[in-house]
Amino acid sequence: MALYLNPNADAFQEDKKTRIYIDKSLLIAELNNIVSTKDDFVCISRPRRFGKSMAGNMISAYYSKGCDTRDIFSQMKLGQCPDYDKYLNKFNVIKLDLNELYQKSQTEDLGTDLISFIQKAVTDEFREKYPDLKFDSNSISSCILQVYKYLGEKFVIIIDEYDVLIREQVPLSLFNNYLSFLNVLFKGTTIRPAIALAYITGIIPVVRDKVQSKLNEFTEYTMLRSGHLSGYFGFTKEEVTDLCTQYGMDIEECARWYDGYRLTETIEVYNPLSVVSAMRNQEFGSYWSATGSFEALKDYIMMDFNGIKQDVIKMISGESVPVNVTKFQNTLQSITNKDNAFTYLIHLGYLSYDRKEKTCKIPNEEVRLEWINAIDDEENYAPIMEIINASKRLLDATVAGDTELVAKALDAAHTEVTSPLTYNDEYCFQSAICLAYFYANTRYTLIKELPTGKGYADLVLIPYLPNIPAMVIELKHNKSAGSALQQIKDKNYCQALSNYKGDLLFVGISYDEKTKEHDCKIEQLMNE
């Protein structure tokens, strides 16, 4: 059995046997449209555990001459397409998992360098498959050309985690050998007609300064611009809704934990690993973060870049911050400022990106908890952690009507969120409130500037857990907390909660920039 040249469908069949399997076979219909065209080189970059490897197994099982998968694909969504079998099992497939091969080279004595090992392992399989052809060198590209020249057979090349040598920051000699390997494999007018489809995947996009010249013929689909392939990696809202119905889980709670990656105006995706784990365990929690270390996140948000601490604080409190994603060169060495750090974290899945607004934010509760883990025990963020840890006490005090404790907590939050230059800024005042009520995210949906009644409520907390009150919070700068309460009533801000039955709290909060103190008043009523 060949491992790299025309592999069988075992990996794909194992994937399909998993308890929860989402049919993404229409991806192949998209690829069939570009086979043997000028657009047949595709690069997919997504965070870890977003389905890249499973897609690669499926693509290999479809195109590979090493298996017969007609019965399988005829029963999938792809089978509903009239020409679904146009290229079914009709190409030679070369499939490489570069991360697996690299890890193998790190733990075993290969007797040679990684690239030479890959070349020899694949060309040996060429010699086994084509004993009548004479292969003079251990060069994959040379073997491809000979088969194409004498037999007219084309190839599909699949490389999973093509960027591992970039992310691992390997020795320069190995990296340069890898660049030469890519250059020979994918560049040139001679070999291009022999490749019907090239499909490579990674976490970060093509490196601009060095690798791009080797892979500039690839069309990229990234977390910044995913195009028509957006819904094939990660679970869509429709797919998650069906799973929640099937497993009796709350769709809104599932979205709060795992949604947040809006790739286009119409497509948002959920973290597939986490959704599957939550369905199986019948419990929402942190699953994706448990599969990797938060050190990757910590390394970059602890960098001494101008403004990064303030933006981290804002994002932890639920806000979006501006980001310029255009200058990142897709290398770790190019992370020299806050924008590049945040762009890298978008590709890793620790942030989501809004193309229209050109902002980034923490996508969901699971990832938010990872950010908190990253700053925990870090001296620079110790005051922020104290506010976060005090947030539960603040929420309890608000529900209990303890206005004095609420005011003192807001004094502390306002001081830590802002610098002396921005302390009296109303926007920073709002950020302080949102951060102070951070713990409320575990019980409430927080909505800022909610249109309701005769205006906009500053902050509305809608509970998704039973037996806790909803809240309407109004903020006043250099005015009284009583006037904030009166505005809630006069402008009928509670209209946004007209369908809510249960306790309702009106919370008025004021800030005096001269005394730098907060005041709070709370009223409770039944929203019958």
Side-chain angles (χ1 to χ4, degrees):
M1 180 186 71
L3 298 177
Y4 311 111
L5 176 62
N6 290 338
N8 60 31
D10 285 357
F12 172 54
Q13 290 177 321
E14 287 183 7
D15 291 340
K16 283 196 87 278
K17 291 177 182 177
T18 57
R19 181 177 169 185
I20 297 176
Y21 179 80
I22 299 296
D23 185 345
K24 299 283 189 177
S25 61
L26 290 180
L27 170 62
I28 294 173
E30 298 279 0
L31 297 178
N32 282 348
N33 289 333
I34 61 172
V35 164
S36 295
T37 70
K38 290 185 177 181
D39 300 318
D40 57 6
F41 281 25
V42 174
C43 177
I44 305 291
S45 59
R46 290 292 188 279
R48 57 186 171 83
R49 303 303 184 94
F50 262 63
K52 301 186 300 294
S53 296
M54 292 182 71
N57 292 338
M58 178 182 67
I59 293 166
S60 175
Y62 176 83
Y63 291 112
S64 176
K65 287 184 175 182
C67 51
D68 180 358
T69 51
R70 177 175 295 273
D71 288 344
I72 299 176
F73 283 104
S74 66
Q75 299 177 45
M76 300 180 71
K77 290 181 180 179
L78 179 66
Q80 306 305 309
C81 300
D83 59 347
Y84 85 93
D85 58 351
K86 183 177 182 180
Y87 299 117
L88 181 63
N89 306 134
K90 292 182 179 179
F91 289 119
N92 294 306
V93 169
I94 297 174
K95 184 173 184 291
L96 304 174
D97 182 337
L98 201 65
N99 182 56
E100 178 183 280
L101 291 165
Y102 173 68
Q103 297 303 328
K104 181 180 178 67
S105 72
Q106 295 295 100
T107 57
E108 299 181 20
D109 182 11
L110 300 179
T112 183
D113 66 86
L114 172 62
I115 304 305
S116 296
F117 169 76
I118 294 173
Q119 297 269 34
K120 185 178 185 304
V122 177
T123 55
D124 282 350
E125 293 189 0
F126 267 92
R127 293 184 175 93
E128 292 177 8
K129 178 173 177 57
Y130 300 100
D132 294 334
L133 294 180
K134 185 177 181 180
F135 301 106
D136 296 326
S137 69
N138 287 332
S139 166
I140 296 174
S141 59
S142 177
C143 292
I144 290 173
L145 284 172
Q146 279 200 261
V147 172
Y148 181 65
K149 176 180 179 180
Y150 291 106
L151 302 178
E153 297 180 4
K154 290 192 172 188
F155 287 78
V156 169
I157 300 176
I158 302 170
I159 301 180
D160 194 18
E161 300 203 56
Y162 85 94
D163 62 333
V164 66
L165 299 188
I166 302 166
R167 289 184 281 112
E168 293 288 341
Q169 302 186 71
V170 299
L172 183 60
S173 58
L174 174 55
F175 186 67
N176 287 335
N177 284 342
Y178 181 52
L179 294 187
S180 298
F181 170 72
L182 295 177
N183 187 56
V184 174
L185 191 57
F186 294 122
K187 295 283 287 187
T189 58
T190 304
I191 197 169
R192 182 65 188 259
I195 301 176
L197 176 70
Y199 175 91
I200 65 176
T201 71
I203 292 177
I204 58 178
V206 172
V207 178
R208 295 183 185 178
D209 58 348
K210 293 182 179 179
V211 179
Q212 188 174 45
S213 62
K214 319 301 179 185
L215 301 178
N216 59 5
E217 295 185 354
F218 279 77
T219 301
E220 293 191 75
Y221 299 90
T222 73
M223 292 296 284
L224 302 177
R225 189 180 295 272
S226 58
H228 64 285
L229 300 185
S230 298
Y232 295 112
F233 304 91
F235 289 172
T236 65
K237 182 177 182 179
E238 294 73 20
E239 291 165 343
V240 174
T241 299
D242 289 344
L243 286 175
C244 286
T245 300
Q246 179 182 349
Y247 284 86
M249 301 290 279
D250 187 284
I251 180 59
E252 292 184 1
E253 181 71 349
C254 189
R256 189 180 72 86
W257 272 94
Y258 310 124
D259 191 12
Y261 302 99
R262 180 172 290 277
L263 302 184
T264 70
E265 288 295 318
T266 59
I267 296 179
E268 55 188 280
V269 296
Y270 292 59
N271 185 312
L273 171 74
S274 299
V275 171
V276 166
S277 300
M279 298 300 122
R280 288 176 173 175
N281 296 327
Q282 290 288 284
E283 181 180 3
F284 296 113
S286 296
Y287 299 105
W288 179 67
S289 57
T291 66
S293 171
F294 61 74
E295 294 300 324
L297 170 62
K298 177 183 288 189
D299 288 345
Y300 296 103
I301 63 176
M302 293 301 164
M303 288 182 170
D304 189 23
F305 296 144
N306 184 41
I308 196 168
K309 179 181 176 182
Q310 287 74 24
D311 280 355
V312 168
I313 292 169
K314 290 176 182 178
M315 289 191 291
I316 286 178
S317 69
E319 296 185 34
S320 299
V321 300
V323 60
N324 181 352
V325 300
T326 62
K327 296 183 178 180
F328 182 47
Q329 296 295 307
N330 302 333
T331 66
L332 304 191
Q333 292 81 4
S334 68
I335 301 177
T336 57
N337 55 53
K338 178 185 68 175
D339 285 330
N340 288 351
F342 287 168
T343 304
Y344 181 53
L345 294 176
I346 291 169
H347 292 303
L348 292 181
Y350 289 111
L351 290 173
S352 62
Y353 180 62
D354 186 320
R355 283 183 58 199
K356 183 178 180 181
E357 300 296 329
K358 294 180 173 53
T359 59
C360 61
K361 67 176 182 178
I362 298 172
N364 52 52
E365 183 65 13
E366 180 180 40
V367 180
R368 192 194 314 273
L369 294 177
E370 189 78 347
W371 280 72
I372 294 175
N373 286 335
I375 68 174
D376 195 12
D377 297 328
E378 291 295 327
E379 184 176 353
N380 289 340
Y381 286 89
I384 309 306
M385 282 304 303
E386 173 55 33
I387 292 175
I388 291 173
N389 292 331
S391 186
K392 180 180 184 300
R393 297 193 297 272
L394 169 63
L395 184 63
D396 291 341
T398 306
V399 172
D402 190 337
T403 56
E404 183 177 349
L405 195 156
V406 170
K408 289 182 179 179
L410 296 179
D411 287 343
H414 199 164
T415 300
E416 294 304 331
V417 168
T418 57
S419 68
L421 294 177
T422 62
Y423 192 86
N424 292 327
D425 183 85
E426 290 190 45
Y427 176 75
C428 293
F429 175 35
Q430 187 182 62
S431 295
I433 302 301
C434 291
L435 179 61
Y437 279 98
F438 167 81
Y439 186 81
N441 284 281
T442 65
R443 302 177 183 178
Y444 292 87
T445 298
L446 277 65
I447 305 175
K448 294 184 293 183
E449 300 294 337
L450 179 65
T452 180
K454 301 177 183 178
Y456 294 81
D458 284 333
L459 187 62
V460 175
L461 279 64
I462 303 174
Y464 51 80
L465 295 181
N467 303 318
I468 57 176
M471 301 186 197
V472 178
I473 300 177
E474 182 64 23
L475 312 176
K476 285 296 180 184
H477 188 237
N478 291 330
K479 294 183 179 179
S480 68
S483 68
L485 274 183
Q486 193 59 46
Q487 181 169 319
I488 295 175
K489 300 172 186 176
D490 291 345
K491 294 193 175 183
N492 194 26
Y493 287 165
C494 62
Q495 183 181 21
L497 299 168
S498 58
N499 294 326
Y500 174 76
K501 303 299 181 184
D503 290 343
L504 176 62
L505 297 183
F506 290 167
V507 182
I509 296 172
S510 65
Y511 163 66
D512 188 322
E513 66 179 48
K514 292 182 179 179
T515 64
K516 290 183 169 50
E517 292 182 348
H518 298 77
D519 189 22
C520 176
K521 290 189 179 297
I522 300 173
E523 288 188 10
Q524 181 177 8
L525 69 150
M526 291 296 295
N527 188 20
E528 297 292 352

